[in-house]
């Protein structure tokens, strides 16, 4: 369901009733899709986000090639313009990379360089662990305390001595550290949208130099691009999990809620209505944060059940994804606040607790997995059984 123009009309009507006759309230023309034009030309642009999504796809694949060097993997994560890190020449020519946008939002990290650096270092460390611990035992059978491969149905999982599938931890952590952080805490932030003369320029339709869009329009597009800027074959990892949560009958409609908010927020910028814009930003923050929380609980509970039935391959895969989503919780955003649902210290404690027993995931505590799951559902006002589906 796309945003109803009738709903917009009602919303607009309610706004009008609160205004005096002398006030002028701009109308908001909301398209059915994220399509905006000026003088016949598109004003939507998020090519940088599409580039990073493509880089992330190739980087994720490279983490599962045991012949790759640590240097090659780190270079893909921290690509430098002109370096031949990717198979795609356009990606190699790009001045974009993944690391520079990890834990790099204006709201959470502009005044917190220490945490930003620590989070980037954590990703580097997990990349090193994949190379140093998992790649050397790629063809060996995994067992408690020994890295190697382990069957998961028709799939094969490659895990550390603690049962950790580092490529999954990295991928799911970057959903929060890169994608969610840039969307929730940067490009939908007033610190970015209203920076400099953005409001005055947007009010007067002053365009960015050589572009068809205003700076404010472009910042909102960049947030949109981190969700929808991939291709059908290689979508954003966040969009994939928005779809997964929307497929859970208890959260049906969350995908439309997020997309509708992006469309209405952009339309509000065109109409110079920054109150409606900021309301949509809060809707986006609430729902994308919920997606991360639901998937964290889903994987912790799924992994717990598989571990109890000694289906170790599936259990380690689920729990590794759960570890990544748990790490991503520090990049979520409580609506109408400047705070995440869980701090960096809290999610690191969750991570440590899950791996606390001898040989890590091989002997992860069901009680601990339940306790952490319940803390997440309590913080987000979820129902454990519903999120676990």
């Amino acid at each position: 369901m796309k945003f109803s123009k009738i709903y917009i009309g009602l919303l607009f009507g309610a706004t009008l009733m609160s205004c005096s006759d002398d006030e002028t309230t701009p109308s908001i023309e909301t398209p059915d899709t994220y399509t905006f034009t000026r003088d016949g030309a598109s004003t939507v642009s998020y090519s940088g986000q599409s580039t990073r999504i493509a880089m992330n796809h190739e980087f994720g694949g490279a983490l599962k090639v045991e012949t790759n060097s640590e240097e090659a993997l780190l270079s893909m994560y921290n690509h430098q313009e002109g370096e031949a890190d990717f198979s795609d020449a356009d990606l190699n020519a790009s001045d974009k990379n993944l690391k520079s946008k990890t834990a790099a939002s204006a709201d959470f990290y502009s005044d917190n360089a220490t945490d930003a650096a620590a989070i980037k270092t954590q990703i580097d460390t997990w990349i090193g662990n994949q190379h140093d611990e998992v790649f050397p035992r790629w063809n060996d059978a995994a067992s408690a305390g020994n890295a190697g491969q382990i069957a998961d149905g028709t799939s094969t999982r490659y895990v550390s001595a603690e049962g950790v599938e580092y490529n999954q931890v990295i991928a799911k952590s970057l959903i929060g550290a890169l994608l969610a952080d840039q969307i929730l805490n940067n490009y939908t932030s007033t610190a970015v949208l209203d920076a400099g003369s953005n409001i005055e320029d947007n009010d007067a339709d002053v365009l960015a130099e050589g572009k068809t869009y205003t700076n404010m329009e472009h910042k909102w597009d960049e947030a949109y691009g981190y969700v929808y800027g991939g291709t059908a074959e290689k979508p954003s990892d966040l969009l994939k999990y928005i779809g997964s949560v929307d497929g859970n009958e208890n959260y049906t409609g969350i995908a439309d809620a997020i997309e509708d908010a992006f469309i209405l927020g952009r339309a509000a910028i065109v109409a110079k209505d920054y109150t409606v814009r900021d309301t949509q930003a809060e809707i986006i923050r609430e729902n994308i944060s919920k997606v991360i929380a639901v998937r964290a609980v889903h994987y912790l509970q799924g992994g717990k059940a598989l571990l109890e039935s000694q289906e170790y391959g599936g259990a380690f895969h689920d729990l590794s994804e759960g570890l990544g989503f748990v790490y991503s919780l520090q990049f979520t955003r409580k609506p109408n606040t400047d705070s995440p649902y869980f701090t960096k210290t809290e999610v690191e404690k969750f991570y440590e607790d899950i791996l606390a027993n001898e040989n890590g995931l091989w002997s992860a505590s069901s009680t601990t997995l339940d306790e952490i799951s319940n803390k997440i559902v309590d913080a987000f006002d979820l129902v454990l059984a519903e999120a676990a589906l």
Side-chain angles (χ1 to χ4, degrees):
M1 180 187 74
K2 294 292 178 270
F3 214 96
S4 166
K5 290 184 178 178
I6 296 175
Y7 174 80
I8 295 297
L10 291 171
L11 177 65
F12 180 46
T15 303
L16 282 177
M17 286 188 289
S18 67
C19 300
S20 71
D21 292 340
D22 295 332
E23 291 177 305
T24 300
T25 303
S27 61
I28 301 177
E29 296 183 11
T30 311
D32 291 333
T33 62
Y34 200 88
T35 303
F36 297 89
T37 62
R38 177 176 285 110
D39 298 328
S42 174
T43 63
V44 176
S45 175
Y46 46 79
S47 60
Q49 287 62 45
S50 297
T51 295
R52 288 193 176 87
I53 290 170
M55 286 179 171
N56 197 34
H57 269 277
E58 191 162 339
F59 171 58
L63 287 168
K64 295 183 283 187
V65 178
E66 80 279 15
T67 53
N68 278 330
S69 68
E70 182 177 4
E71 180 183 8
L73 295 172
L74 291 171
S75 295
M76 292 182 80
Y77 176 52
N78 189 29
H79 170 69
Q80 301 300 306
E81 182 178 2
E83 296 295 324
D85 298 317
F86 300 97
S87 62
D88 185 328
D90 290 339
L91 298 185
N92 291 332
S94 175
D95 62 355
K96 314 296 183 190
N97 67 44
L98 303 174
K99 189 171 186 176
S100 66
K101 293 297 183 181
T102 299
S105 63
D107 285 356
F108 279 12
Y109 299 103
S110 61
D111 294 326
N112 191 356
T114 300
D115 280 359
I119 291 164
K120 291 179 174 69
T121 298
Q122 180 62 78
I123 301 294
D124 285 345
T125 298
W126 284 330
I127 293 170
N129 291 349
Q130 176 76 350
H131 177 269
D132 295 342
E133 299 176 22
V134 180
F135 283 178
R137 292 183 57 85
W138 200 253
N139 296 312
D140 297 334
S143 60
N146 295 292
Q149 62 170 257
I150 187 167
D152 175 17
T154 58
S155 299
T156 301
R157 309 301 180 187
Y158 299 90
V159 300
S160 72
E162 292 185 308
V164 176
E165 208 178 354
Y166 282 114
N167 59 298
Q168 290 299 328
V169 174
I170 294 167
K172 275 53 183 183
S173 294
L174 286 177
I175 288 176
L178 171 60
L179 303 175
D181 186 50
Q182 285 294 298
I183 297 165
L184 312 186
N185 309 315
N186 195 66
Y187 287 122
T188 58
S189 164
T190 54
V192 172
L193 291 168
D194 298 344
S197 60
N198 282 1
I199 292 178
E200 293 81 359
D201 290 347
N202 196 68
D203 285 346
D205 287 327
V206 175
L207 307 184
E209 185 175 357
K211 304 298 182 183
T212 60
Y213 47 73
T214 68
N215 280 323
M216 187 188 294
E217 290 170 342
H218 184 52
K219 297 306 180 187
W220 190 269
D221 290 347
E222 289 184 287
Y224 177 87
Y226 274 119
V227 182
Y228 305 98
T231 65
E233 296 76 21
K234 298 177 180 178
S236 158
D237 283 349
L238 180 56
L239 181 61
K240 173 183 174 182
Y241 287 100
I242 289 172
S244 297
V245 173
D246 191 74
N248 179 329
E249 62 184 7
N250 300 296
Y251 306 104
T252 299
I254 194 169
D256 280 339
I258 292 169
E259 186 172 10
D260 289 345
F262 269 114
I263 294 171
L264 180 53
R266 181 59 154 83
I269 291 173
V270 174
K272 295 62 160 112
D273 189 331
Y274 308 125
T275 300
V276 171
R277 178 201 70 181
D278 293 343
T279 298
Q280 304 319 300
E282 297 301 339
I283 292 171
I284 293 167
R285 287 169 175 166
E286 178 179 8
N287 284 293
I288 288 181
S289 296
K290 183 182 292 185
V291 166
I292 291 171
V294 169
R295 292 315 281 183
V297 173
H298 167 85
Y299 284 120
L300 294 184
Q301 290 298 302
K304 184 192 79 168
L306 291 168
L307 198 60
E308 288 172 347
S309 60
Q310 298 186 343
E311 297 174 69
Y312 291 110
F316 297 160
H317 184 65
D318 276 14
L319 291 174
S320 296
E321 292 189 277
L323 286 169
F325 276 108
V326 164
Y327 194 77
S328 282
L329 289 169
Q330 66 186 297
F331 309 101
T332 57
R333 180 78 168 254
K334 293 180 182 177
N336 301 304
T337 77
D338 294 329
S339 303
Y341 283 84
F342 291 98
T343 66
K344 177 174 179 290
T345 299
E346 288 171 327
V347 302
E348 288 177 344
K349 182 65 165 57
F350 289 162
Y351 193 100
E352 292 171 3
D353 288 347
I354 292 169
L355 293 169
N357 289 345
E358 185 177 8
N359 300 319
L361 296 183
W362 287 92
S363 53
S365 164
S366 295
T367 300
T368 298
L369 295 172
D370 282 341
E371 288 175 349
I372 294 172
S373 297
N374 279 309
K375 287 180 179 177
I376 297 170
V377 299
D378 288 348
F380 284 83
D381 196 23
L382 304 172
V383 175
L384 181 63
E386 294 178 355
L389 289 179

